[in-house]
Amino acid sequence: MIIMASALPTFTKIAKVIRLNRHGCTNRPFYHIVVQKTKDNQDGPVIEQVGSFDAMPNNKNEKLVALNFERIQYWLSQGAKLSDPVAQLLGLSGFLPNHPRTIIQAWKNRREPPRERKIEAIKGIAPPLDNPKL
């Protein structure tokens, strides 16, 4: 019995992506770094969580990142793609080369002069008004 190649079931590989999945409250984002199917939206089913990222700086002005490099390396070997924000995080961590967008942002930060504060620090009492009609 001869089986034609077209009669065999074809299994297509579903593309996967490593991306940020937003959690947390309004004005307080927290991200899980997850593996998902490319066609799923951000709230879709997650295959595996491979890290986390706290975008809000703590009291020491640090943004905390936790990564499982072994699982990320596994998924990259399986053909998973990286979203740009995750590629930037992995570049800053030293796992991958720096993302070009990270280098461009560093150049912009270097050129931009520091912003001046327009509001004076109030020490208990507001200064007197210049206009007596107010």
Side-chain angles (χ1 to χ4, degrees), residues 99-110:
H99 194 272
R101 202 171 282 158
T102 304
I103 298 168
I104 291 170
Q105 186 63 42
W107 276 100
K108 285 181 181 179
N109 290 345
R110 221 179 285 165

Side-chain angles (χ1 to χ4, degrees), residues 25-123:
C25 302
T26 307
N27 299 327
R28 183 64 179 93
F30 183 83
Y31 297 95
H32 289 175
I33 301 169
V34 297
V35 179
Q36 287 182 312
K37 294 178 184 175
T38 306
K39 64 179 184 173
D40 289 341
N41 61 0
Q42 185 182 18
D43 297 331
V46 173
I47 297 171
E48 182 180 1
Q49 180 181 344
V50 293
S52 62
F53 172 54
D54 189 3
M56 298 294 289
N58 61 9
N59 57 0
K60 296 180 182 178
N61 204 19
E62 300 169 332
K63 296 180 180 181
L64 303 177
V65 179
L67 299 167
N68 187 344
F69 291 120
E70 293 174 3
R71 296 306 294 169
I72 292 172
Q73 188 172 9
Y74 167 77
W75 283 109
L76 290 175
S77 68
Q78 296 297 316
K81 305 293 182 199
L82 292 171
S83 66
D84 283 344
V86 173
Q88 288 178 356
L89 285 174
L90 291 175
L92 290 172
S93 69
F95 185 71
L96 295 175
N98 276 337
H99 194 272
R101 202 171 282 158
T102 304
I103 298 168
I104 291 170
Q105 186 63 42
W107 276 100
K108 285 181 181 179
N109 290 345
R110 221 179 285 165
R111 287 184 187 172
E112 187 175 303
R115 295 182 182 178
E116 295 180 14
R117 293 206 161 228
K118 294 182 180 178
I119 301 173
E120 296 177 10
I122 298 174
K123 298 178 182 176

